[in-house]
């Protein structure tokens, strides 16, 4: 296509060049007379003269006008061949004659020839100018055509280049797409292989991680099992040691055998059975290598039964001693009267009267010092509490930041749930109980956004048990003292925890007895050399900067703790095992009431504590002991009220009057009302 256009342009240009060359050569040649000059002279000039007679003054104009007339100009020699000087039809003679005549006429008419020649020249000039103009126009036309052809060729060349470039670009794109497709396929295959490799590697890593976690978990469980087994084994040995001590105390009661109305052998037999039971549990645990929680709980129940057995025996011995003492006094009185009667009336004198109370009974019937068996129980609880403190001493005194953090987390996990206990719905109370139980069982619990467990430290369980018991008693001292209804939800949780974790119950008693010795009941005595502040602390007062708290605040705290204790002994966790006995039930409340009535009353304290105890626990004791309980209330009214009134000043009569009115109202209606805030079945359904 391109070569064809080039050839066409070259052909047009060559033709134009040849034409221009001929025209230019003709224009540049010297002027010559045309072969038509004779014909012009013969034919044209005569006509000009006829048309313009005597117009000599203007030959040029006439010649020019004649020349401009197309009728006089021969168009071609062929059209007038008869008049042509070269015509072959003219004979030679004629030809010569004509030439001679012509020559003569030209000579004769030289002036006219000059004019004709001028006209011819003017005609030629006009013709030349016209030819030049036509040539110029034709040249311009050809140049336009050449330019048009050139532009067309250029455009076609551009289109051809564009088409070629497009074709190359398309081929390049096709090649590139093929290469990209193959590259994508290769990359896809490579990515697929990588993904398969990663998947296999991930599966292998997961399997390895699971295997490692399983191994670590098994090792940790084994370690925890061994540690827990060692802790339980130590606890079993401690229980056995305490059981043996109680057994020795049981054997020591042999000296009172003659006084007892009950069979002492039955107590000793049961004591030996309990000792054998704990020994069998320890032997089986040593053989298995890991004591179970059930074994520990069974041993603790056996120890508690031994304590109750010894306590009941102590009460029997106390009653027997009292009966023996009264019998000896009566016999001595009879012998004295007989001796006086034998000596005569004059010798009949009254013996010196002992100090009597307002009721007419001797003050020596009551005592200030608590019974020995109760003091032993009190001391055992305090020793157990001190031993627990020594156990986790390493955790509390540690300087390690990690150990401090663990201690703080464990303390928060133990105390915060107890602080949240209030008169809330039963479902919320169950969540709190489950959280505390899980913590004591070694399970991880959430506290402050972190997972906490007693297994984080070997001493963690002892620390949590101690702090938990301390917090329960503190809630009684503060929360229950201000809001009496709060005693019941706190007590039911404490009772449930006590049932599942007996050691926590013992620590609760130890803290309660230390802060409120009247809950034993125990009246500390002032010893020689003792500081007054220390003695006041033993009585339960708070002493800060040598300043003792006000009596009202002291009574308020004691009241809160006694109310909590009275609520604990009558409540059980509703979701626990009902077949098990209460770890510290109403029999301990009956014992407390009996012992406090056997002791001299304290001004303002005894009346306050009796009222709080009977208001919270009186209804439960009435249902449990029935007639015996009403006899106890009558005894308080007839015998104990006069003793309290005798030692109470006029400014402290408020607590006594409140107790007296409450008791008289109960005796009048023969019923003790259910305490305010007592947990009913509707509470647990909420």
């Amino acid at each position: 296509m391109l070569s064809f256009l080039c050839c066409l342009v070259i052909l047009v240009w060559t033709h134009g060049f040849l034409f221009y060359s001929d025209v230019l050569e003709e224009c540049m040649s010297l002027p010559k007379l045309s072969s038509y000059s004779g014909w012009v002279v013969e034919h044209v000039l005569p006509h000009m003269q006829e048309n313009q007679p005597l117009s000599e003054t203007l030959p040029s104009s006439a010649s020019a006008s004649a020349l401009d007339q197309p009728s006089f100009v021969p168009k071609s020699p062929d059209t007038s061949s008869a008049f042509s000087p070269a015509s072959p039809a003219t004979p030679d003679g004629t030809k010569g004659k004509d030439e001679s005549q012509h020559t003569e006429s030209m000579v004769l008419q030289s002036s006219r020839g000059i004019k004709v020649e001028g006209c011819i020249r003017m005609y030629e000039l006009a013709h030349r100018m016209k030819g030049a103009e036509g040539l110029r126009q034709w040249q311009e036309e050809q140049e336009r055509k050449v330019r048009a052809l050139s532009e067309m060729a250029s455009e076609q060349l551009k289109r051809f280049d564009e088409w070629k470039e497009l074709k190359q670009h398309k081929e390049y794109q096709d090649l590139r797409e093929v290469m990209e497709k193959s590259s994508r396929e290769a990359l896809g295959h490579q990515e697929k292989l990588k993904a398969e490799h990663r998947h296999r590697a991930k599966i292998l890593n997961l399997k390895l991680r699971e295997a490692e976690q399983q191994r670590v978990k098994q090792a940790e469980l084994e370690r925890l099992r061994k540690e827990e087994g060692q802790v339980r084994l130590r606890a079993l040995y401690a229980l056995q040691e305490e059981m043996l001590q109680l057994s020795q105390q049981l054997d020591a009661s042999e000296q009172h055998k003659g006084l007892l109305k009950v069979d002492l052998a039955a107590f000793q037999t049961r004591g030996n059975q309990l000792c054998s039971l704990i020994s069998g549990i320890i032997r089986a645990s040593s053989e298995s290598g890991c004591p179970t929680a059930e074994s520990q709980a069974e041993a603790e129940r056996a120890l508690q039964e031994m304590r109750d057995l010894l306590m009941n025996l102590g009460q029997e011995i106390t009653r027997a001693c009292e009966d023996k003492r009264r019998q000896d006094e009566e016999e001595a009185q009879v012998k004295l009267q007989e001796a006086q009667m034998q000596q005569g009336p004059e010798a009949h004198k009254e013996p010196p009267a002992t100090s009597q109370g307002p009721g007419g009974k001797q003050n020596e019937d009551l005592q200030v010092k608590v019974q020995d068996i109760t003091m032993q129980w009190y001391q055992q609880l305090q020793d157990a509490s001190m031993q627990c403190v020594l156990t986790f001493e390493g955790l509390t005194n540690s300087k390690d930041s990690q150990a401090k953090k663990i201690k703080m987390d464990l303390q928060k996990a133990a105390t915060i749930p107890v602080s949240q206990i209030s008169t809330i719905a039963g479902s919320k109370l169950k969540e709190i109980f489950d959280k505390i139980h899980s913590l004591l069982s070694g399970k991880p619990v959430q506290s402050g956004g972190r997972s906490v467990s007693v297994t984080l430290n070997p001493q963690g369980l002892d620390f949590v048990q101690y702090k938990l018991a301390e917090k329960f008693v503190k809630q009684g001292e503060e929360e229950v003292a201000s809001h009496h209804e709060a005693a019941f939800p706190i007590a039911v949780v404490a009772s449930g925890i006590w049932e599942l974790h007996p050691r926590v119950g013992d620590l609760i008693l130890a803290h309660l007895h230390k802060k409120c010795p009247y809950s034993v009941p125990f009246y500390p005595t002032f010893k020689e050399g003792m500081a007054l502040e220390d003695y006041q602390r033993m009585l339960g007062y708070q002493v800060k900067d040598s300043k003792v708290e006000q009596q009202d605040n002291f009574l308020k705290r004691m009241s809160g703790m006694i109310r909590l204790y009275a609520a604990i002994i009558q409540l059980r966790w509703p979701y626990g095992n009902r077949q098990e006995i209460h770890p510290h039930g109403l029999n301990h409340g009956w014992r407390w009431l009996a012992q406090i009535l056997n002791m001299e009353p304290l001004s303002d304290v005894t009346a306050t504590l009796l009222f709080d105890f009977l208001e919270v626990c009186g209804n439960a004791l009435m249902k449990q002991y029935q007639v015996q309980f009403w006899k106890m209330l009558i005894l308080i009214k007839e015998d104990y009220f006069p003793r309290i009134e005798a030692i109470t000043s006029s400014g402290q009569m408020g607590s006594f009057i409140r107790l007296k009115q409450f008791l008289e109202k109960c005796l009048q209606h023969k019923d003790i009302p259910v305490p305010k805030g007592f947990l009913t079945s509707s509470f647990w359904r909420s």
Side-chain angles (χ1 to χ4, degrees):
M1 181 70 181
L2 181 62
S3 59
F4 170 74
L5 292 173
C6 292
C7 292
L8 182 61
V9 172
I10 293 171
L11 181 61
V12 173
W13 182 82
T14 304
H15 183 269
F17 177 75
L18 292 175
F19 179 78
Y20 298 153
S21 300
D22 294 341
V23 174
L24 289 175
E25 185 178 355
E26 181 180 358
C27 294
M28 294 175 65
S29 63
L30 295 175
K32 296 180 181 179
L33 290 176
S34 174
S35 59
Y36 300 102
S37 299
W39 183 84
V40 169
V41 171
E42 292 177 356
H43 297 83
V44 174
L45 290 180
H47 292 286
M48 292 175 63
Q49 292 176 356
E50 292 176 359
N51 294 329
Q52 295 180 344
L54 300 177
S55 299
E56 297 293 336
T57 58
L58 297 171
S60 300
S61 300
S63 299
S65 62
L67 288 171
D68 291 334
Q69 298 295 325
S71 60
F72 295 107
V73 179
K75 294 183 180 180
S76 175
D78 298 334
T79 58
S80 301
S81 59
F83 299 103
S84 178
S87 175
T90 305
D92 292 338
T94 306
K95 180 179 180 182
K97 186 176 180 178
D98 290 337
E99 288 178 357
S100 63
Q101 292 178 355
H102 178 67
T103 303
E104 291 177 356
S105 63
M106 289 184 65
V107 171
L108 291 176
Q109 300 178 358
S110 58
S111 59
R112 292 175 60 190
I114 293 171
K115 291 180 181 179
V116 170
E117 185 68 22
C119 291
I120 293 171
R121 288 185 182 276
M122 290 180 66
Y123 178 82
E124 289 178 350
L125 179 61
H127 181 71
R128 189 181 293 111
M129 291 176 65
K130 186 177 181 181
E133 180 64 23
L135 177 62
R136 184 183 62 79
Q137 291 178 359
W138 183 89
Q139 187 177 2
E140 289 179 356
E141 181 68 23
Q142 294 301 318
E143 287 178 356
R144 283 195 300 272
K145 290 180 180 180
V146 169
R147 281 196 300 272
L149 289 173
S150 177
E151 289 177 358
M152 183 178 67
S154 177
E155 289 297 326
Q156 289 181 355
L157 182 61
K158 288 181 180 178
R159 300 291 84 77
F160 177 77
D161 291 340
E162 290 175 356
W163 177 80
K164 187 177 180 180
E165 184 179 355
L166 180 62
K167 185 177 180 181
Q168 291 178 351
H169 182 70
K170 186 176 181 182
E171 291 176 353
Y172 174 73
Q173 285 295 113
D174 293 341
L175 180 61
R176 185 174 180 180
E177 288 179 359
V178 171
M179 293 178 64
E180 288 180 352
K181 183 178 180 182
S182 61
S183 177
R184 284 195 300 270
E185 290 177 355
L187 289 175
H189 184 65
Q190 186 177 3
E191 289 297 327
K192 185 176 180 181
L193 292 176
K194 288 183 179 179
E196 291 179 356
H197 176 71
R198 285 195 297 268
H199 182 66
R200 291 194 183 97
K202 185 177 180 180
I203 292 175
L204 290 175
N205 288 335
L206 286 174
K207 289 182 178 179
L208 289 174
R209 193 179 298 113
E210 288 176 359
E212 180 65 19
Q213 290 177 353
Q214 190 69 20
R215 186 190 63 80
V216 172
K217 185 178 180 180
Q218 291 294 338
E220 182 68 16
L221 290 175
E222 183 65 21
R223 184 183 65 80
L224 293 176
R225 190 181 68 84
K226 289 182 179 179
E227 290 181 356
E228 188 177 359
Q230 291 297 323
V231 171
R232 287 174 178 167
L233 193 60
R234 287 196 296 269
L236 287 176
Y237 282 128
L239 293 175
Q240 186 183 29
E241 182 180 1
E242 186 177 354
M243 178 68 78
L244 293 175
Q245 292 176 357
L246 295 177
S247 179
Q248 291 176 358
Q249 295 176 12
L250 191 61
D251 294 336
S253 61
E254 184 74 22
Q255 57 184 347
H256 302 288
K257 185 176 181 180
L259 300 176
L260 296 175
K261 299 178 181 179
V262 296
D263 186 9
L264 183 60
F267 286 90
Q268 293 176 343
T269 302
R270 183 55 183 164
N272 293 331
Q273 290 176 352
L274 294 174
C275 290
S276 301
L277 177 61
I278 288 188
S279 299
I281 293 173
I282 293 177
R283 190 180 306 107
S285 300
S286 300
E287 292 175 356
S288 63
C290 182
T292 61
E294 291 76 9
S295 300
Q296 185 177 357
E298 187 179 358
E300 289 174 347
R301 287 194 295 270
L303 179 61
Q304 186 62 40
E305 185 178 352
M306 187 68 171
R307 290 171 181 168
D308 296 339
L309 189 68
L310 197 60
M311 186 179 299
N312 294 333
L313 180 60
Q315 293 175 356
E316 292 292 337
I317 292 175
T318 302
R319 280 195 291 269
C321 291
E322 289 294 326
D323 294 341
K324 182 67 169 61
R325 185 177 59 80
R326 290 192 186 95
Q327 185 178 357
D328 292 342
E329 289 178 356
E330 291 174 358
E331 291 177 356
Q333 187 70 21
V334 170
K335 289 180 180 180
L336 180 60
Q337 291 177 359
E338 291 177 353
Q340 289 176 353
M341 290 176 66
Q342 290 177 359
Q343 291 176 2
E346 68 279 2
H348 183 70
K349 295 181 180 179
E350 291 291 333
T354 59
S355 61
Q356 295 181 351
K361 292 192 177 182
Q362 298 176 353
N363 287 342
E364 63 182 11
D365 291 342
L366 302 181
Q367 55 188 357
V368 176
K369 186 178 179 181
V370 71
Q371 296 178 2
D372 292 339
I373 189 170
T374 304
M375 278 304 299
Q376 291 175 1
W377 174 56
Y378 165 80
Q379 193 60 46
Q380 288 172 359
L381 292 174
Q382 297 303 315
D383 293 343
S385 177
M386 289 301 299
Q387 183 64 33
C388 183
V389 173
L390 294 175
T391 303
F392 62 81
E393 187 177 13
L395 178 62
T396 54
N397 298 332
S398 176
K399 303 297 182 181
D400 182 47
S401 59
Q402 185 67 23
K404 290 181 179 180
K405 183 179 178 182
I406 292 173
K407 182 188 73 173
M408 187 61 64
D409 290 342
L410 289 174
Q411 184 168 350
K412 289 180 179 179
T415 57
I416 290 178
V418 180
S419 302
Q420 296 173 345
I421 300 174
S422 60
T423 54
I424 54 178
S427 58
K428 184 66 176 177
L429 203 63
K430 189 175 186 302
E431 290 180 10
I432 295 174
F433 176 85
D434 292 340
K435 188 173 184 180
I436 298 174
H437 175 54
S438 298
L439 180 65
L440 293 171
S441 300
K443 299 177 182 178
V445 297
Q446 292 295 322
S447 177
R450 291 195 297 269
S451 180
V452 182
S453 174
V454 294
T455 59
L456 295 175
N457 190 285
Q459 304 166 4
L461 181 59
D462 296 322
F463 179 76
V464 167
Q465 289 176 340
Y466 185 86
K467 289 298 179 181
L468 183 63
E470 184 181 44
K471 185 62 178 178
F472 273 121
V473 176
K474 192 172 183 180
Q475 284 295 100
E477 184 181 11
E478 297 175 355
E479 181 67 21
V480 179
S482 301
H483 306 91
H484 294 169
E485 296 85 355
F488 296 100
I490 297 174
V492 75
V493 175
S495 176
I497 295 297
W498 194 335
E499 185 174 345
L500 296 176
H501 306 276
R503 192 184 183 196
V504 177
D506 292 343
L507 292 173
I508 289 175
L509 286 176
H511 283 289
L512 184 66
H513 292 170
K514 186 175 182 180
K515 288 191 173 185
C516 179
Y518 314 103
S519 61
V520 178
F522 167 52
Y523 300 160
T525 57
F526 184 81
K527 298 179 181 179
E528 187 177 355
M530 180 184 294
L532 181 59
E533 293 181 2
D534 294 338
Y535 178 64
Q536 289 170 335
R537 289 190 181 95
M538 290 179 63
L539 292 175
Y541 288 91
Q542 290 181 347
V543 182
K544 295 181 180 179
D545 299 329
S546 301
K547 295 182 180 179
V548 184
E549 66 177 328
Q550 297 295 326
Q551 183 71 8
D552 292 342
N553 188 58
F554 165 74
L555 292 175
K556 182 180 179 181
R557 291 191 304 105
M558 298 299 110
S559 172
M561 287 184 279
I562 284 296
R563 283 180 174 272
L564 177 63
Y565 179 70
I568 288 176
I569 62 177
Q570 65 175 309
L571 291 176
R572 295 196 64 182
W573 182 245
Y575 303 102
N577 187 2
R578 286 292 181 178
Q579 296 179 354
E580 298 289 340
I581 61 172
H582 195 296
H584 197 79
L586 284 172
N587 58 322
H588 291 274
W590 182 263
R591 176 195 59 80
W592 182 86
L593 188 60
Q595 288 192 0
I596 203 168
L597 293 178
N598 283 327
M599 300 174 69
E600 285 290 348
L602 296 179
S603 175
D604 212 11
V605 175
T606 303
T608 300
L609 299 184
L610 275 175
F611 171 76
D612 293 322
F613 185 84
L614 291 174
E615 187 181 42
V616 175
C617 194
N619 182 268
L621 289 173
M622 176 191 69
K623 294 177 180 179
Q624 178 74 18
Y625 295 99
Q626 299 178 358
V627 177
Q628 296 297 326
F629 179 72
W630 290 112
K631 290 181 178 180
M632 180 81 76
L633 294 187
I634 294 172
L635 175 66
I636 294 174
K637 178 183 178 183
E638 295 180 354
D639 184 61
Y640 209 65
F641 272 179
R643 297 179 183 275
I644 297 175
E645 189 175 6
I647 62 170
T648 304
S649 63
S650 58
Q652 298 175 336
M653 292 298 290
S655 57
F656 170 72
I657 293 173
R658 183 176 55 179
L659 173 63
K660 185 177 180 180
Q661 291 176 350
F662 173 78
L663 205 61
E664 288 177 350
K665 184 178 179 180
C666 293
L667 290 171
Q668 180 182 356
H669 294 86
K670 296 187 181 301
D671 182 52
I672 295 183
V674 177
K676 185 179 180 181
F678 188 79
L679 304 181
T680 60
S681 57
S682 60
F683 172 82
W684 297 107
R685 288 196 298 268
S686 60

